[in-house]
Amino acid sequence: MADTTDNTVTGETNSVPRKSSWRYIGPGIVVAATGVGAGDLVATLIAGSNFGYTLLWAAVIGCLVKISLAEAAGRWHLSTGSTLFDGWASLGRWTTWFFAVYVVIWGFVYGAAAMSSSALPLQALFPDVMDLEWWAIACGLVGLVFVWFNKYAVFEKVMTVLVGVMFVVTVYLAIRVTPNLGDALAGLLPVLPDEKDSILNTLGLIGGVGGTITLAAYGYWVNAKGWTNTGWMKVMRLDNRVAYITTGIFVVAMLFVGAELLHSANVAIASGDKGLVQLSDILEDEYGSATAKFFLIGFFATSFTSLIGVWHGVSLMFADFVARYRGDEGAAASGQKVASGSRERSWPFRAYLLWLTFPPMVLLFQGQPFRLVIIYGVLGAAFLPFLAGTLMWLLNTSRTPREWRNGPLSNGMLAIAGLLFLVLCVKQIWDQPWSEFF
């Protein structure tokens, strides 16, 4: 007979399934929606614009690398019954200091970036209603209210709807530009562009596909779904694969758009979220205003899912961090506690929500402080090597039950991920204008 656990998210008895099933999918959709932001789409779009289909293989590898990281995070939560921060804390106090500095500075700058990204398509759709800064503030406040008053079950349903919008828009655009399938298949062969710094550009595309800290939040969403033991391991793995297949579809579709609409016409767009607004203008000229507006709706869904996903997932992580720091180790290590929704009603969860929302509004009007942005860039680049390295450490030692420790494939994928992100981290640090910092 199947085991049963109390799914305290829904208040119903939840049977652990004998086999994985599509009907259980949920956290994977959330991590896919959160991880693929406007920045990921525009980076892939620019790759298609610059190199055609040549780097399609790199986008696919990026999805495979992120699958290994999210699977490792989920496996840690389910196999140990503790949270990722509990595992980090067992490695030494340095992890606590790194996370504390990271989550404060990263959250401050990311809050402004997420609100601005969500505001851009709204201002393009309704240019005469209000200025960009006020659209950004409205997006932040809506995200705050939504996450503040809703538990995970409602959050997941809304994210699923928005992912559906993203999926329809990106696939429609990919079909609309009539991709050259022969060239696309050729792009699956690992060939580097004949350009300066092509290796670093390729590594950047691989590393930029789908998520940073949201990969670490995946295990928290797994617990919030009510999956709290190894009986859910097969379901989690299916869920994780669905997440990055979905991510792969998003980025491949945008690479098609870049290759066919921009590369073939030798059209360049700006990096960053404003590049997507430029794309809407190009789409309007090429296919009419209806297609352009349809794209802007998808652009908003992409940006807003990242906003509310971070508002929810990273706030869960911060709440767990505070519980562990205060010595509430029993609560911090209990998957049932995390799943119960008590974290979503705790003061640290809500305090971090407020931190993501209100202080960053200052940056919307004053611009981002130069030194703060440099520190933000360095910390952001360092997080994924930190995540890959600590997961390898945790999942190859006695902290993890022997049955669920890393095998050769998991170790290989995490090692590749760690080296990849370490190279990108060094490049990011090297490229910072340090002479202007001091």
Side-chain angles (χ1 to χ4, degrees), residues 284-350:
E284 183 170 5
D285 292 339
E286 195 76 20
Y287 302 113
S289 61
T291 296
K293 286 181 169 56
F294 189 49
F295 167 71
L296 288 171
I297 292 169
F299 176 8
F300 172 74
T302 300
S303 297
F304 195 66
T305 51
S306 294
L307 186 152
I308 60 176
V310 166
W311 263 229
H312 187 275
V314 183
S315 295
L316 277 179
M317 294 182 68
F318 183 77
D320 184 43
F321 161 73
V322 172
R324 190 68 169 74
Y325 181 78
R326 294 173 63 196
D328 188 11
E329 297 183 19
S334 170
Q336 294 289 351
K337 287 281 187 181
V338 174
S340 70
S342 61
R343 288 281 183 264
E344 295 168 294
R345 294 291 181 265
S346 67
W347 71 261
F349 180 91
R350 289 179 164 174

Coordinates of all heavy atoms in Angstrom, one line a residue, residues 284-350:
E284 N 5.8 44.6 -35.0 CA 4.7 45.4 -35.5 C 5.0 45.8 -37.0 O 4.0 45.7 -37.8 CB 4.6 46.6 -34.7 CG 3.4 47.5 -35.1 CD 3.1 48.6 -34.1 OE1 3.8 48.8 -33.2 OE2 2.0 49.3 -34.4
D285 N 6.2 46.1 -37.3 CA 6.5 46.5 -38.7 C 6.4 45.3 -39.6 O 5.9 45.4 -40.8 CB 7.9 47.0 -38.8 CG 8.1 48.4 -38.1 OD1 7.0 49.1 -37.9 OD2 9.2 48.7 -37.8
E286 N 6.7 44.1 -39.1 CA 6.8 42.9 -39.9 C 5.4 42.2 -40.0 O 5.0 41.7 -41.1 CB 7.8 41.9 -39.4 CG 8.2 40.8 -40.3 CD 9.2 41.3 -41.4 OE1 9.8 42.4 -41.2 OE2 9.2 40.6 -42.4
Y287 N 4.7 42.1 -38.9 CA 3.5 41.3 -38.8 C 2.2 42.0 -38.4 O 1.2 41.4 -38.3 CB 3.7 40.1 -37.9 CG 4.9 39.2 -38.3 CD1 6.0 39.1 -37.5 CD2 4.9 38.5 -39.5 CE1 7.1 38.4 -37.9 CE2 6.0 37.7 -39.9 CZ 7.1 37.7 -39.1 OH 8.2 36.9 -39.5
G288 N 2.4 43.3 -38.0 CA 1.2 44.0 -37.6 C 1.1 44.2 -36.1 O 1.8 43.6 -35.3
S289 N 0.2 45.1 -35.7 CA 0.2 45.5 -34.3 C -0.4 44.4 -33.4 O 0.0 44.3 -32.2 CB -0.7 46.8 -34.1 OG -2.0 46.5 -34.6
A290 N -1.2 43.5 -33.9 CA -1.8 42.5 -33.1 C -0.7 41.5 -32.6 O -0.7 41.1 -31.4 CB -2.9 41.7 -33.9
T291 N 0.2 41.1 -33.5 CA 1.3 40.3 -33.1 C 2.2 41.0 -32.1 O 2.7 40.4 -31.1 CB 2.1 39.9 -34.4 OG1 1.3 39.1 -35.2 CG2 3.3 39.0 -34.0
A292 N 2.5 42.3 -32.3 CA 3.3 43.0 -31.4 C 2.7 43.1 -30.0 O 3.4 42.8 -29.0 CB 3.5 44.4 -31.9
K293 N 1.4 43.3 -29.9 CA 0.7 43.4 -28.6 C 0.7 42.0 -28.0 O 0.9 41.9 -26.7 CB -0.7 43.9 -28.8 CG -0.7 45.4 -29.0 CD -2.1 45.9 -29.2 CE -2.2 47.5 -29.2 NZ -1.4 48.1 -30.2
F294 N 0.5 41.0 -28.8 CA 0.5 39.6 -28.2 C 1.9 39.3 -27.6 O 1.9 38.7 -26.5 CB 0.2 38.6 -29.4 CG -0.1 37.2 -29.0 CD1 -0.9 36.9 -27.9 CD2 0.6 36.2 -29.6 CE1 -1.1 35.6 -27.5 CE2 0.4 34.8 -29.3 CZ -0.5 34.5 -28.2
F295 N 2.9 39.7 -28.3 CA 4.3 39.5 -27.8 C 4.5 40.2 -26.5 O 5.1 39.7 -25.5 CB 5.3 39.9 -28.8 CG 6.7 40.0 -28.2 CD1 7.4 38.9 -27.9 CD2 7.3 41.3 -28.0 CE1 8.7 39.0 -27.3 CE2 8.5 41.4 -27.4 CZ 9.2 40.2 -27.1
L296 N 4.0 41.5 -26.4 CA 4.2 42.3 -25.2 C 3.4 41.6 -24.0 O 3.9 41.7 -22.8 CB 3.7 43.7 -25.4 CG 4.6 44.6 -26.3 CD1 3.9 45.9 -26.6 CD2 5.9 44.8 -25.6
I297 N 2.3 41.0 -24.2 CA 1.6 40.3 -23.2 C 2.5 39.1 -22.7 O 2.6 38.9 -21.5 CB 0.2 39.8 -23.7 CG1 -0.7 40.9 -23.9 CG2 -0.4 38.8 -22.7 CD1 -2.0 40.6 -24.7
G298 N 3.1 38.4 -23.6 CA 4.0 37.3 -23.2 C 5.2 37.8 -22.5 O 5.7 37.2 -21.5
F299 N 5.7 39.0 -22.9 CA 6.9 39.6 -22.3 C 6.5 40.0 -20.8 O 7.3 39.7 -19.9 CB 7.2 40.9 -23.1 CG 8.3 41.8 -22.5 CD1 9.1 41.4 -21.4 CD2 8.6 43.0 -23.1 CE1 10.1 42.2 -20.9 CE2 9.6 43.8 -22.6 CZ 10.3 43.4 -21.5
F300 N 5.3 40.5 -20.6 CA 4.9 40.8 -19.2 C 4.8 39.5 -18.4 O 5.2 39.5 -17.2 CB 3.5 41.5 -19.2 CG 2.9 41.7 -17.8 CD1 3.5 42.6 -17.0 CD2 1.9 40.9 -17.4 CE1 3.0 42.7 -15.7 CE2 1.4 41.0 -16.1 CZ 1.9 41.9 -15.3
A301 N 4.2 38.5 -19.0 CA 4.0 37.2 -18.2 C 5.4 36.7 -17.8 O 5.6 36.2 -16.7 CB 3.3 36.2 -19.1
T302 N 6.4 36.8 -18.7 CA 7.7 36.3 -18.5 C 8.4 37.1 -17.3 O 8.9 36.5 -16.4 CB 8.6 36.5 -19.7 OG1 8.1 35.7 -20.8 CG2 10.0 36.0 -19.5
S303 N 8.2 38.4 -17.3 CA 8.8 39.2 -16.3 C 8.1 39.1 -15.0 O 8.7 39.0 -13.9 CB 8.8 40.7 -16.8 OG 9.6 40.9 -17.9
F304 N 6.8 39.1 -15.0 CA 6.0 39.1 -13.7 C 6.1 37.7 -13.0 O 6.1 37.7 -11.8 CB 4.6 39.4 -14.0 CG 3.8 39.8 -12.7 CD1 4.2 40.9 -12.0 CD2 2.8 39.0 -12.3 CE1 3.5 41.3 -10.9 CE2 2.1 39.4 -11.1 CZ 2.5 40.5 -10.4
T305 N 6.2 36.6 -13.8 CA 6.4 35.3 -13.1 C 7.8 35.3 -12.4 O 7.9 34.7 -11.3 CB 6.4 34.2 -14.1 OG1 7.3 34.4 -15.2 CG2 5.0 33.9 -14.6
S306 N 8.8 35.9 -13.0 CA 10.1 36.0 -12.3 C 10.0 36.9 -11.0 O 10.6 36.5 -10.0 CB 11.1 36.6 -13.2 OG 11.4 35.8 -14.3
L307 N 9.2 37.9 -11.1 CA 9.0 38.8 -9.9 C 8.4 38.0 -8.8 O 8.9 37.9 -7.7 CB 8.2 40.0 -10.3 CG 8.1 41.1 -9.3 CD1 7.9 42.5 -9.9 CD2 6.9 40.9 -8.3
I308 N 7.2 37.5 -9.0 CA 6.5 36.8 -7.9 C 7.1 35.5 -7.5 O 7.1 35.1 -6.3 CB 5.0 36.6 -8.2 CG1 4.8 35.7 -9.4 CG2 4.2 38.0 -8.4 CD1 3.3 35.4 -9.7
G309 N 7.9 34.9 -8.5 CA 8.6 33.7 -8.1 C 9.7 34.0 -7.1 O 9.9 33.3 -6.1
V310 N 10.5 35.0 -7.4 CA 11.5 35.4 -6.4 C 10.9 35.9 -5.1 O 11.4 35.6 -4.0 CB 12.4 36.5 -7.1 CG1 13.3 37.2 -6.0 CG2 13.3 35.9 -8.2
W311 N 9.8 36.7 -5.2 CA 9.2 37.3 -4.0 C 8.8 36.1 -3.1 O 8.9 36.2 -1.9 CB 7.9 38.0 -4.4 CG 8.1 39.5 -4.5 CD1 7.2 40.5 -3.9 CD2 9.0 40.3 -5.2 NE1 7.6 41.7 -4.3 CE2 8.7 41.7 -5.1 CE3 10.1 40.0 -6.0 CZ2 9.4 42.7 -5.6 CZ3 10.9 41.0 -6.6 CH2 10.5 42.4 -6.4
H312 N 8.3 35.0 -3.7 CA 7.9 33.8 -2.9 C 9.1 32.9 -2.5 O 9.3 32.6 -1.3 CB 6.8 33.0 -3.6 CG 6.2 31.9 -2.8 ND1 6.8 30.7 -2.7 CD2 5.1 31.9 -2.1 CE1 6.0 29.9 -1.9 NE2 5.0 30.6 -1.5
G313 N 9.8 32.5 -3.5 CA 10.9 31.4 -3.2 C 12.0 31.9 -2.4 O 12.4 31.2 -1.5
V314 N 12.5 33.1 -2.7 CA 13.7 33.6 -1.9 C 13.3 34.0 -0.5 O 14.0 33.9 0.4 CB 14.4 34.7 -2.7 CG1 15.7 35.2 -1.9 CG2 14.8 34.2 -4.1
S315 N 12.0 34.5 -0.4 CA 11.5 34.8 0.9 C 11.4 33.5 1.8 O 11.7 33.6 3.0 CB 10.1 35.5 0.8 OG 10.3 36.7 0.2
L316 N 11.0 32.4 1.2 CA 11.0 31.1 1.9 C 12.4 30.8 2.4 O 12.6 30.4 3.5 CB 10.5 30.0 1.0 CG 9.0 29.8 0.9 CD1 8.7 28.6 -0.1 CD2 8.4 29.5 2.2
M317 N 13.4 31.0 1.5 CA 14.8 30.7 1.9 C 15.3 31.6 3.0 O 15.9 31.2 3.9 CB 15.7 30.9 0.6 CG 15.5 29.8 -0.5 SD 16.6 30.1 -1.8 CE 18.2 29.6 -1.1
F318 N 14.9 32.9 2.9 CA 15.3 33.8 4.0 C 14.7 33.5 5.3 O 15.3 33.5 6.3 CB 14.9 35.3 3.6 CG 15.3 36.3 4.6 CD1 16.7 36.7 4.6 CD2 14.4 36.9 5.4 CE1 17.1 37.6 5.5 CE2 14.9 37.8 6.4 CZ 16.2 38.2 6.4
A319 N 13.4 33.0 5.2 CA 12.7 32.6 6.5 C 13.4 31.4 7.1 O 13.6 31.3 8.3 CB 11.2 32.3 6.2
D320 N 13.9 30.5 6.3 CA 14.6 29.3 6.8 C 15.9 29.7 7.3 O 16.4 29.3 8.4 CB 14.8 28.3 5.6 CG 15.4 27.0 6.1 OD1 15.1 26.5 7.2 OD2 16.3 26.5 5.3
F321 N 16.6 30.7 6.7 CA 17.9 31.2 7.1 C 17.7 31.8 8.5 O 18.5 31.6 9.4 CB 18.4 32.2 6.1 CG 19.4 33.2 6.7 CD1 20.7 32.7 6.9 CD2 19.1 34.5 6.9 CE1 21.7 33.6 7.4 CE2 20.1 35.4 7.4 CZ 21.4 34.9 7.6
V322 N 16.7 32.6 8.7 CA 16.5 33.3 10.0 C 16.2 32.2 11.1 O 16.7 32.3 12.2 CB 15.4 34.3 9.9 CG1 15.0 34.9 11.3 CG2 15.8 35.5 9.0
A323 N 15.4 31.2 10.8 CA 15.0 30.2 11.7 C 16.3 29.5 12.2 O 16.5 29.2 13.4 CB 14.0 29.2 11.1
R324 N 17.2 29.2 11.2 CA 18.4 28.5 11.6 C 19.3 29.4 12.4 O 20.0 28.9 13.3 CB 19.1 28.0 10.2 CG 20.3 27.1 10.4 CD 19.8 25.7 10.9 NE 20.8 24.7 10.9 CZ 21.8 24.6 11.7 NH1 22.0 25.5 12.7 NH2 22.7 23.6 11.6
Y325 N 19.4 30.6 12.0 CA 20.3 31.6 12.7 C 19.8 31.8 14.1 O 20.6 31.9 15.1 CB 20.3 32.9 12.0 CG 21.2 34.0 12.6 CD1 22.6 33.9 12.4 CD2 20.6 35.0 13.4 CE1 23.4 34.9 13.0 CE2 21.4 35.9 14.0 CZ 22.8 35.9 13.8 OH 23.6 36.8 14.4
R326 N 18.5 31.8 14.4 CA 18.0 32.0 15.7 C 18.0 30.7 16.6 O 17.7 30.7 17.7 CB 16.5 32.4 15.6 CG 16.3 33.8 15.0 CD 14.9 34.1 14.8 NE 14.1 34.2 16.0 CZ 12.8 34.1 16.1 NH1 12.1 34.0 15.0 NH2 12.2 34.2 17.3
G327 N 18.5 29.6 16.0 CA 18.7 28.4 16.7 C 17.5 27.5 16.7 O 17.4 26.5 17.4
D328 N 16.5 27.8 15.8 CA 15.3 27.0 15.7 C 15.6 25.8 14.7 O 14.9 25.7 13.7 CB 14.1 27.8 15.2 CG 12.8 27.1 15.2 OD1 12.7 26.0 15.8 OD2 11.8 27.6 14.6
E329 N 16.5 25.0 15.1 CA 17.0 24.0 14.2 C 16.0 22.9 13.9 O 15.9 22.4 12.8 CB 18.3 23.4 14.7 CG 19.5 24.4 14.9 CD 20.7 23.7 15.4 OE1 20.8 22.5 15.2 OE2 21.6 24.4 15.9
G330 N 15.2 22.6 14.8 CA 14.1 21.6 14.6 C 13.2 22.1 13.5 O 12.8 21.3 12.6
A331 N 12.7 23.3 13.6 CA 11.8 23.8 12.6 C 12.5 24.0 11.3 O 11.9 23.7 10.2 CB 11.2 25.2 13.1
A332 N 13.8 24.4 11.3 CA 14.5 24.7 10.1 C 14.7 23.4 9.3 O 14.7 23.4 8.1 CB 15.8 25.4 10.4
A333 N 14.9 22.3 10.1 CA 15.3 21.1 9.4 C 14.1 20.2 9.0 O 14.2 19.2 8.4 CB 16.2 20.2 10.3
S334 N 12.9 20.6 9.4 CA 11.7 19.8 9.2 C 11.0 20.2 7.9 O 10.5 21.3 7.8 CB 10.7 20.0 10.4 OG 9.5 19.4 10.0
G335 N 11.0 19.2 7.0 CA 10.3 19.5 5.7 C 8.8 19.7 6.0 O 8.2 20.5 5.3
Q336 N 8.2 19.0 6.9 CA 6.8 19.2 7.2 C 6.5 20.6 7.7 O 5.5 21.2 7.3 CB 6.3 18.2 8.3 CG 6.4 16.7 7.9 CD 5.3 16.4 6.8 OE1 4.4 17.2 6.6 NE2 5.4 15.3 6.2
K337 N 7.4 21.2 8.5 CA 7.2 22.6 8.9 C 7.2 23.5 7.7 O 6.4 24.4 7.7 CB 8.4 22.9 9.9 CG 8.2 22.3 11.2 CD 7.2 23.0 12.1 CE 7.2 22.5 13.5 NZ 6.2 23.1 14.4
V338 N 8.2 23.3 6.8 CA 8.2 24.2 5.6 C 7.0 24.0 4.8 O 6.4 25.0 4.3 CB 9.5 23.9 4.8 CG1 9.5 24.7 3.5 CG2 10.7 24.2 5.6
A339 N 6.5 22.7 4.6 CA 5.4 22.5 3.8 C 4.1 23.0 4.4 O 3.1 23.3 3.7 CB 5.2 21.0 3.6
S340 N 4.0 23.2 5.7 CA 2.8 23.5 6.4 C 2.3 24.9 6.0 O 1.2 25.3 6.3 CB 3.0 23.4 7.9 OG 3.8 24.5 8.3
G341 N 3.2 25.8 5.5 CA 2.8 27.1 5.2 C 3.2 28.1 6.3 O 2.9 29.3 6.2
S342 N 3.7 27.5 7.4 CA 4.1 28.4 8.5 C 5.1 29.4 8.1 O 5.1 30.6 8.6 CB 4.6 27.6 9.7 OG 5.7 26.9 9.4
R343 N 6.0 29.0 7.2 CA 7.0 29.9 6.7 C 6.4 31.1 6.0 O 6.9 32.2 6.0 CB 8.0 29.2 5.8 CG 9.0 28.2 6.5 CD 10.1 29.0 7.2 NE 11.0 28.1 7.8 CZ 11.0 27.7 9.1 NH1 10.1 28.3 9.9 NH2 11.9 26.9 9.6
E344 N 5.3 30.8 5.2 CA 4.7 31.9 4.4 C 3.9 32.9 5.3 O 3.5 33.9 4.8 CB 3.7 31.2 3.4 CG 4.4 30.4 2.4 CD 3.5 29.6 1.6 OE1 2.8 28.7 2.2 OE2 3.3 29.8 0.4
R345 N 3.7 32.6 6.5 CA 3.1 33.5 7.5 C 4.0 34.1 8.5 O 3.6 34.8 9.4 CB 1.9 32.8 8.2 CG 0.8 32.4 7.2 CD 0.0 33.6 6.7 NE -1.1 33.3 5.8 CZ -1.0 33.2 4.5 NH1 0.2 33.4 3.9 NH2 -2.0 32.9 3.7
S346 N 5.3 33.7 8.4 CA 6.3 34.1 9.4 C 6.7 35.5 9.2 O 6.7 36.0 8.0 CB 7.5 33.2 9.4 OG 8.2 33.3 8.2
W347 N 7.2 36.2 10.2 CA 7.7 37.6 10.1 C 8.9 37.7 9.2 O 9.1 38.6 8.4 CB 7.9 38.2 11.4 CG 9.1 37.8 12.2 CD1 9.1 36.9 13.2 CD2 10.4 38.2 12.0 NE1 10.3 36.7 13.7 CE2 11.2 37.5 13.0 CE3 11.1 39.1 11.2 CZ2 12.6 37.6 13.1 CZ3 12.5 39.2 11.3 CH2 13.2 38.5 12.3
P348 N 9.9 36.7 9.2 CA 11.0 36.8 8.3 C 10.6 36.8 6.8 O 11.2 37.5 6.0 CB 11.9 35.6 8.7 CG 11.6 35.3 10.1 CD 10.1 35.5 10.1
F349 N 9.7 35.9 6.5 CA 9.2 35.8 5.1 C 8.6 37.1 4.7 O 9.0 37.6 3.6 CB 8.1 34.7 5.1 CG 7.5 34.5 3.7 CD1 8.0 33.5 2.8 CD2 6.4 35.2 3.3 CE1 7.5 33.3 1.6 CE2 5.8 35.0 2.0 CZ 6.4 34.1 1.2
R350 N 7.8 37.7 5.5 CA 7.1 38.9 5.2 C 8.1 40.1 5.2 O 8.0 41.1 4.4 CB 5.9 39.2 6.0 CG 4.8 38.2 5.7 CD 3.6 38.4 6.6 NE 2.4 37.7 5.9 CZ 1.3 37.5 6.5 NH1 1.0 38.0 7.7 NH2 0.3 36.9 5.9

